[in-house]
Amino acid sequence: MDRFAATATVLGSEDWQPLEAMVSYALQRGDAASARAVLRAADRPRFHRDWVRRRSIELAQELDGEGLT
């Protein structure tokens, strides 16, 4: 899943849709660390930085509620 974080680094917060796809896929595979890494890597000034930050908060709440790391 490191390739997802690398891709998110390139994308930044330019487009939220591929970021959400990567986050969702990582979560489906039970890889919360990769999902979080994608959002951290994408948290840079661009068009959808607010979305990235909101999704990071939502993800933290989702994972804390399920007891996942």
Side-chain angles (χ1 to χ4, degrees):
M1 292 291 181
D2 290 336
R3 69 185 187 279
F4 281 178
T7 300
T9 299
V10 172
L11 290 174
S13 60
E14 184 72 29
D15 188 359
W16 68 270
Q17 292 171 322
L19 298 172
E20 179 59 29
M22 290 185 283
V23 168
S24 294
Y25 183 76
L27 292 174
Q28 287 173 4
R29 298 194 47 94
D31 190 354
S34 288
R36 289 179 180 187
V38 165
L39 293 170
R40 276 193 308 273
D43 189 1
R44 296 188 321 225
R46 290 302 287 167
F47 298 114
H48 298 287
R49 189 177 201 182
D50 289 342
W51 177 88
V52 170
R53 290 184 168 183
R54 278 193 316 273
R55 186 63 179 106
S56 295
I57 292 167
E58 291 169 0
L59 179 61
Q61 291 170 343
E62 291 169 22
L63 296 177
D64 289 345
E66 295 178 13
L68 299 174
T69 58

